[in-house]
Amino acid sequence: MDLAKKFKAPEKFIEVSSYNFLPFRFSRFDSRYLLTNEVGEYLFLSNEQFLAFTRHKLKYSEAIYLDLKCKHFLIDSDSDVSIDLLSLKLRTKYQAIKQFTSLHLFVVSLRCDYSCPYCQVSRISENKTQFDMTEETALLGLDFVFKSPSGAIKIEFQGGESLLNFELIRFIVEEASSRNKVEKRDLVFVIATNLSFIDNDVLHFCSEHNIFISTSLDGPQDLHDKNRPRPDKNGYDLTVNGIRNVQRSLGVDKVSALMTTTESSLSRVRDIIDEYISHGFDSIFLRPLSPYGFAVKTKSIHKYNAQRWLDFYKEGMEYIFELNRNGIPFREEYSSIILKKILTPFNPGYVDLQSPAGVAISAIVFNYDGDVYASDESRMLAEMGDKEFKLGSLNNDSYEEIMTSEKILSLLSETMTEGMPMCTDCVFMNYCGSDPVYHYATQKDIIGHKSRSGFCEKNMGVFKYLLGILGEDASRANTLRGWV
Amino acid sequence: MITLSTKKGIVRNTTENEPFVIRASTNKNLPLILRKKEVFLVHEDQNNIPIGFKAYAFFDCAPNVPSEHENIYVLPSDLDHLGDGDVLRIDPNTGSVRVLYRRLSKHNSFLTTERCNSFCLMCSQPPRKINDDYLIDEILAAIPLIDRGTGEIGLSGGEPTLLGDRFFELVKSFKNFLPETSLHILTNGRLFEEVKNAEKISEINHHDLMLGIPLYSDISNIHDFVVQADGAYDETIRGILNLKAYDVRVEIRVVIHNQTYERLPQLANFIARNLTFVDHVAFMGLEMMGFTKTNLNVLWVDPIKYQDKLEAAVTGLDRAGIRVSIYNHQLCLLKPSLYPFSVKSISDWKNEYISECDGCLRKEECGGFFTSAAMKYSDHITPFTS
């Protein structure tokens, strides 16, 4: 190097005799090794590189040494600011826990006009008002909501069919908004509804209070109506008309749709995605069937396993890549959540991928009768007669009693993946999380044995798929990077 | 960047002994009480010169300089661009005049010191180990004279924070006398490794402050080599963390050259993951000034060669939600995807275009031509003709 005399050569600035490892996990990944660390950084190493790295034989001048150093897999005597940066990233990742409960679900009615076989709460005919939440219970629920220290509060109305008790929704929204004049939280409302009963009154109210609508759309007409039978056989028409209506009166950003995967969906992923595009959605959440409620009762959970869902997911993803290549920006939501964990220092706060589990501390459920559950899935389990995850009742227990109950504390301390058998050594641990309700429902144990866990198999498959693309396919990786 | 221009002139009838900082005026109707504090610029009408100004400036193109006024300074004609509200430093002993501030310029910058604790390979203002404390006295004297409508003032060095408490005094003075003006300070950030320094600047509570801090690599020893200071990387990173902990706005500046371009995507990724809270990242082309000329063979890389890396870096930061810009790059060398990030040339001086630019239709948008660029430039300059 031809530097002027008063300048020192690059070698003068390197004081490296050896390096040490910073905490990381690793696993074989096809012919390479995958390394991940506590804050979600990842790196692929060849066999030779991995051996050289672990035997302390890498030279500071090698490109892979520099990559390991800047991603904080190794530390050398030249710089120790990486410890400060790792702590900063760890703090950032766990920030969500400090925020505490944000999502509060009010089950305003168990009644429903549909009879979906996969329904996760028992269906009750439309006229039994004893399955509606009362104003008294709702007020107790709101007391609970505003005890949460979270600056952002989301109140979601669930059913049954929530709009069958629209009067209570109106009551809760008005009451919460009025309390919020003093509380000044970032308050958001969502109505989860099948859109059968959305009318101008409801739309006007939603517009006035900036309420979001979340609905179910399982695919094209034949599939939707098969998955979600309505006695009048007009479920699909009601849903898509409703979507169009909400888009027109509230805005395209005010309505989102969720799909549930069933046996019949597995061969139809392109049709399902096309259905979403045709209604102007720019993303889809390819969800697996959850093992609760009727899904377990009717044995439909056993009709397909995680591997078949993964094939479905990957076929969908390939189609989504094709759409993006052809100039139609479209995302898959579950992948987006995981990509955020892989590609950014932030935790997207998705309830099912948290450690400790998101139960109660990120989302909590108030059932129609005042019972408090750890998650939406917990009350589904309860509707099948197993109240394992009932935390208490709004009618008898205070916020403090419920949130510091032994049940919650032990749920949280037992669901830290950092200490869970098999999870603690897993290279994907930092992208994953705990779902105690799933494992309890399938294995009668909140942790469960991971080799028999559908949750584990599904998530590992998604992690491998996404990381494989990020590691070797520049064009598709570029699409994925645009999703976070 | 504006450089200090010292111009020597002729002095007549002086009553002053010490150099002074003064605001220029062309206003013949200025109230008498204010005239005592200003220097009147005599541009053309020499027959009707108002009385009572502290000094009078003539330009040496003027045919006759009247002798009835005190404190007459005859300035070289290339200063005849001076106008109302400009701030000058005048030395009555030598007649030399330095322009400290120009009201109509959008890019006023003060050199705070020539001393520095780094010694960057491409420094445009090579540091000198001298006592130049008088510089800060002059700036402090100039601040109250600066027009309150000024959009932005820059501070550069050397390393301004080496001035210690006088640096904080300076920032405070800008805040108090120019409550609507933003302040941009170029610093290597190393001294903000001391938490108390971050606390001090934060406590000033300046209304619109940005610290521009260079970071040349995600790798400690590469950054240290570029700034020729061992340990600087750790100090700068800690400085940035401390500043952000105290909620001070920080811009990261990356000068791209042959020693820094190879790991641009990794550097961007490092910033996106570790320093996500910075307020701006600027990728800068090499300016042919100072040490850059000395080390040109070590530093020069044709911008064509690093376009893919620059694109990956800029896209990565943009996706991470970090504001990102490209400075000092000729538009025709950038990939089209980078055009939206390119900031057009910010020179006050006459832009010099090389013959390769003849016929280019996008000169006005070009971010790359300043006085020094003609010295060394890419082989791939191509005019936009449609």
Side-chain angles (χ1 to χ4, degrees):
Chain A
M1 186 169 293
D2 205 3
L3 278 169
K5 261 195 199 127
K6 52 191 167 191
F7 298 96
K8 289 182 264 178
E11 299 76 44
K12 299 281 184 210
F13 298 92
I14 302 166
E15 297 160 15
V16 178
S17 46
S18 64
Y19 58 84
N20 285 314
F21 303 133
L22 288 165
F24 68 92
R25 294 181 174 77
F26 65 94
S27 169
R28 265 201 171 282
F29 195 97
D30 54 52
S31 61
R32 299 165 291 175
Y33 276 92
L34 172 67
L35 280 68
T36 64
N37 71 7
E38 215 59 49
V39 296
E41 302 260 19
Y42 72 95
L43 200 57
F44 288 100
L45 266 60
S46 71
N47 244 341
E48 299 71 38
Q49 287 169 333
F50 184 72
L51 287 178
F53 170 51
T54 50
R55 289 170 184 170
H56 294 269
K57 287 189 173 150
L58 280 186
K59 294 276 177 298
Y60 67 76
S61 49
E62 291 176 66
I64 196 70
Y65 181 100
L66 302 182
D67 289 342
L68 286 160
K69 180 169 163 170
C70 81
K71 287 174 183 283
H72 303 145
F73 288 98
L74 68 78
I75 184 169
D76 63 31
S77 49
D78 196 65
S79 165
D80 58 12
V81 77
S82 43
I83 303 295
D84 302 45
L85 294 172
L86 271 174
S87 340
L88 171 66
K89 286 186 278 190
L90 206 59
R91 278 202 299 281
T92 305
K93 188 179 121 181
Y94 285 119
Q95 207 177 351
I97 295 177
K98 199 176 81 179
Q99 302 290 320
F100 224 62
T101 322
S102 155
L103 177 59
H104 298 80
L105 281 83
F106 283 73
V107 180
V108 291
S109 174
L110 277 193
R111 293 181 289 138
C112 190
D113 55 319
Y114 276 75
S115 52
C116 313
Y118 62 56
C119 181
Q120 301 171 341
V121 287
S122 303
R123 52 195 184 280
I124 313 280
S125 74
E126 265 180 54
N127 47 20
K128 290 185 186 167
T129 42
Q130 70 264 41
F131 292 106
D132 284 13
M133 184 181 269
T134 63
E135 289 189 358
E136 292 71 40
T137 305
L139 286 173
L140 292 171
L142 284 176
D143 290 345
F144 199 102
V145 168
F146 284 105
K147 288 246 173 148
S148 168
S150 176
I153 300 276
K154 186 190 266 188
I155 293 178
E156 182 172 322
F157 302 104
Q158 277 281 359
E161 169 44 39
S162 58
L163 286 183
L164 285 172
N165 195 2
F166 177 61
E167 280 320 300
L168 188 74
I169 293 179
R170 184 194 292 272
F171 175 79
I172 294 173
V173 168
E174 283 171 352
E175 176 68 20
S177 302
S178 143
R179 291 191 194 189
N180 201 42
K181 285 189 180 127
V182 179
E183 292 281 349
K184 298 203 183 342
R185 313 289 184 96
D186 179 4
L187 180 63
V188 174
F189 301 100
V190 180
I191 301 178
T193 168
N194 58 33
L195 295 172
S196 300
F197 306 103
I198 194 134
D199 58 19
N200 286 337
D201 258 11
V202 174
L203 285 169
H204 183 73
F205 183 76
C206 290
S207 163
E208 229 173 18
H209 291 87
N210 201 25
I211 297 171
F212 291 82
I213 301 292
S214 167
T215 193
S216 298
L217 179 64
D218 277 10
Q221 183 154 19
D222 65 308
L223 180 61
H224 183 89
D225 283 340
K226 184 178 178 198
N227 278 355
R228 303 175 56 79
R230 192 170 190 270
D232 294 342
K233 303 193 191 313
N234 58 351
Y236 175 84
D237 290 335
L238 281 173
T239 304
V240 298
N241 285 335
I243 290 172
R244 221 168 290 141
N245 227 339
V246 179
Q247 287 174 329
R248 210 174 294 128
S249 3
L250 301 182
V252 287
D253 56 327
K254 296 294 187 298
V255 58
S256 61
L258 277 175
M259 55 83 57
T260 300
T261 313
T262 63
E263 176 84 20
S264 325
S265 320
L266 288 175
S267 61
R268 306 281 302 274
V269 71
R270 281 174 170 250
D271 297 342
I272 296 168
I273 292 168
D274 279 344
E275 184 68 28
Y276 272 68
I277 305 171
S278 75
H279 297 294
F281 292 114
D282 58 6
S283 70
I284 191 168
F285 198 134
L286 295 174
R287 286 200 309 174
L289 180 55
S290 57
Y292 317 99
F294 277 89
V296 170
K297 263 193 220 165
T298 59
K299 301 284 183 241
S300 48
I301 185 70
H302 301 304
K303 286 187 185 163
Y304 72 92
N305 55 25
Q307 194 50 53
R308 291 178 67 202
W309 178 82
L310 276 169
D311 293 341
F312 165 83
Y313 162 81
K314 288 178 191 172
E315 191 191 341
M317 285 292 284
E318 294 308 317
Y319 182 47
I320 290 171
F321 285 125
E322 190 183 317
L323 289 170
N324 281 282
R325 266 198 309 279
N326 292 332
I328 298 153
F330 196 81
R331 281 175 296 120
E332 199 285 308
E333 294 287 351
Y334 193 62
S335 309
S336 300
I337 291 164
I338 290 163
L339 286 164
K340 189 156 189 181
K341 290 179 155 224
I342 297 176
L343 297 172
T344 82
F346 301 107
N347 179 349
Y350 179 66
V351 178
D352 292 345
L353 292 175
Q354 307 259 59
S355 168
V359 287
I361 61 166
S362 31
I364 198 158
V365 181
F366 310 124
N367 209 0
Y368 69 99
D369 56 2
D371 283 355
V372 180
Y373 288 97
S375 67
D376 206 22
E377 291 75 16
S378 318
R379 62 122 181 171
M380 294 166 189
L381 208 58
E383 292 305 328
M384 299 168 58
D386 189 336
K387 297 202 169 182
E388 172 72 16
F389 296 100
K390 180 181 161 183
L391 305 172
S393 164
L394 292 173
N395 302 311
N396 311 317
D397 308 306
S398 71
Y399 177 84
E400 289 76 10
E401 280 165 346
I402 290 178
M403 293 312 283
T404 60
S405 65
E406 190 48 44
K407 194 151 222 164
I408 288 191
L409 296 181
S410 70
L411 254 179
L412 295 179
S413 66
E414 285 176 41
T415 56
M416 295 204 52
T417 49
E418 288 82 350
M420 275 164 54
M422 295 185 80
C423 294
T424 184
D425 298 320
C426 176
V427 71
F428 303 117
M429 191 203 83
N430 281 291
Y431 307 135
C432 201
S434 296
D435 191 341
V437 188
Y438 176 95
H439 287 101
Y440 178 83
T442 52
Q443 298 189 23
K444 284 283 171 283
D445 182 290
I446 62 166
I447 294 170
H449 199 291
K450 301 305 173 193
S451 62
R452 293 200 305 273
S453 160
F455 174 89
C456 184
E457 188 177 353
K458 173 194 82 173
N459 283 318
M460 294 258 265
V462 176
F463 300 143
K464 279 181 193 160
Y465 176 73
L466 293 175
L467 282 158
I469 293 171
L470 290 174
E472 63 194 17
D473 184 333
S475 149
R476 289 193 298 166
N478 193 39
T479 301
L480 293 183
R481 287 174 193 279
W483 291 3
V484 299
Chain B
M1 190 194 301
I2 285 186
T3 53
L4 293 174
S5 50
T6 304
K7 303 286 182 184
K8 208 170 164 71
I10 302 160
V11 194
R12 283 191 205 154
N13 308 340
T14 182
T15 59
E16 300 290 323
N17 306 315
E18 295 297 321
F20 55 94
V21 173
I22 191 163
R23 177 163 52 202
S25 174
T26 55
N27 183 357
K28 290 182 176 176
N29 301 317
L30 199 68
L32 266 175
I33 195 161
L34 296 178
R35 294 186 191 177
K36 294 190 190 97
K37 297 178 179 171
E38 310 214 347
V39 52
F40 188 76
L41 302 175
V42 186
H43 275 297
E44 52 250 349
D45 183 7
Q46 303 199 7
N47 302 319
N48 201 2
I49 296 171
I51 54 155
F53 278 89
K54 174 164 180 171
Y56 293 85
F58 290 79
F59 299 94
D60 61 7
C61 47
N64 302 304
V65 176
S67 54
E68 66 268 27
H69 298 280
E70 288 184 331
N71 293 314
I72 287 178
Y73 298 90
V74 182
L75 309 181
S77 57
D78 57 357
L79 280 179
D80 68 359
H81 57 71
L82 287 175
D84 198 63
D86 290 354
V87 179
L88 316 174
R89 184 245 191 211
I90 297 177
D91 185 342
N93 303 309
T94 62
S96 70
V97 169
R98 268 211 329 265
V99 183
L100 299 180
Y101 160 81
R102 294 187 55 203
R103 189 173 61 90
L104 293 181
S105 167
K106 287 192 165 76
H107 313 289
N108 280 290
S109 175
F110 289 96
L111 178 78
T112 55
T113 176
E114 292 188 71
R115 285 168 285 163
C116 195
N117 49 352
S118 296
F119 202 71
C120 302
L121 297 178
M122 64 298 180
C123 182
S124 58
Q125 180 76 48
R128 294 201 294 163
K129 286 179 189 155
I130 52 166
N131 183 344
D132 53 10
D133 289 347
Y134 69 93
L135 284 173
I136 198 159
D137 294 330
E138 285 174 12
I139 304 171
L140 286 167
I143 292 171
L145 308 179
I146 293 173
D147 190 279
R148 270 187 60 178
T150 304
E152 184 184 77
I153 296 281
L155 294 182
S156 68
E159 172 51 40
T161 58
L162 290 179
L163 296 162
D165 282 343
R166 300 214 72 194
F167 167 72
F168 299 110
E169 186 188 344
L170 190 64
V171 177
K172 188 159 188 174
S173 182
F174 273 109
K175 178 202 174 211
N176 290 344
F177 282 101
L178 295 165
E180 284 113 46
T181 304
S182 50
L183 184 64
H184 188 282
I185 304 175
L186 287 173
T187 165
N188 58 38
R190 292 170 59 188
L191 290 187
F192 292 106
E193 187 194 26
E194 297 271 357
V195 175
K196 69 173 190 331
N197 285 334
E199 192 180 355
K200 274 185 189 168
I201 199 161
S202 159
E203 275 174 353
I204 295 171
N205 205 12
H206 189 283
H207 48 279
D208 190 358
L209 174 70
M210 179 79 96
L211 301 193
I213 299 180
L215 186 65
Y216 299 124
S217 180
D218 56 327
I219 300 296
S220 53
N221 51 282
I222 299 178
H223 175 87
D224 289 357
F225 163 63
V226 173
V227 304
Q228 292 279 301
D230 209 8
Y233 172 88
D234 280 20
E235 290 169 15
T236 291
I237 299 277
R238 287 200 174 95
I240 294 171
L241 298 185
N242 288 338
L243 287 165
K244 290 315 298 179
Y246 279 94
D247 218 11
V248 179
R249 291 164 72 223
V250 170
E251 163 187 274
I252 290 182
R253 297 197 149 206
V254 185
V255 179
I256 310 173
H257 53 64
N258 200 35
Q259 305 300 321
T260 59
Y261 82 90
E262 281 183 51
R263 291 185 65 83
L264 282 182
Q266 289 92 333
L267 173 59
N269 187 54
F270 174 83
I271 293 170
R273 283 202 90 120
N274 296 276
L275 304 171
T276 321
F277 40 40
V278 296
D279 303 275
H280 186 210
V281 176
F283 291 99
M284 332 270 300
L286 204 51
E287 272 190 274
M288 294 300 150
M289 294 172 74
F291 285 157
T292 300
K293 292 194 255 183
T294 318
N295 289 321
L296 194 60
N297 54 347
V298 178
L299 298 175
W300 174 255
V301 54
D302 194 315
I304 284 288
K305 196 169 164 187
Y306 58 69
Q307 288 305 305
D308 287 347
K309 289 180 187 288
L310 182 59
E311 184 185 41
V314 167
T315 314
L317 288 166
D318 186 44
R319 280 176 175 169
I322 298 173
R323 200 161 67 85
V324 53
S325 308
I326 300 170
Y327 291 159
N328 302 350
H329 277 76
Q330 287 101 22
L331 201 61
C332 57
L333 300 182
L334 293 178
K335 292 185 104 172
S337 62
L338 295 176
Y339 293 170
F341 300 96
S342 171
V343 176
K344 81 178 194 59
S345 183
I346 52 163
S347 176
D348 276 345
W349 315 101
K350 192 176 59 178
N351 276 333
E352 285 185 10
Y353 295 101
I354 52 174
S355 58
E356 283 89 331
C357 297
D358 290 350
C360 177
L361 300 174
R362 302 181 74 169
K363 281 183 188 171
E364 288 302 307
E365 300 160 58
C366 185
F369 278 97
F370 25 82
T371 324
S372 64
M375 180 187 150
K376 174 81 184 173
Y377 54 85
S378 167
D379 297 333
H380 299 87
I381 303 282
T382 322
F384 289 98
T385 52
S386 58

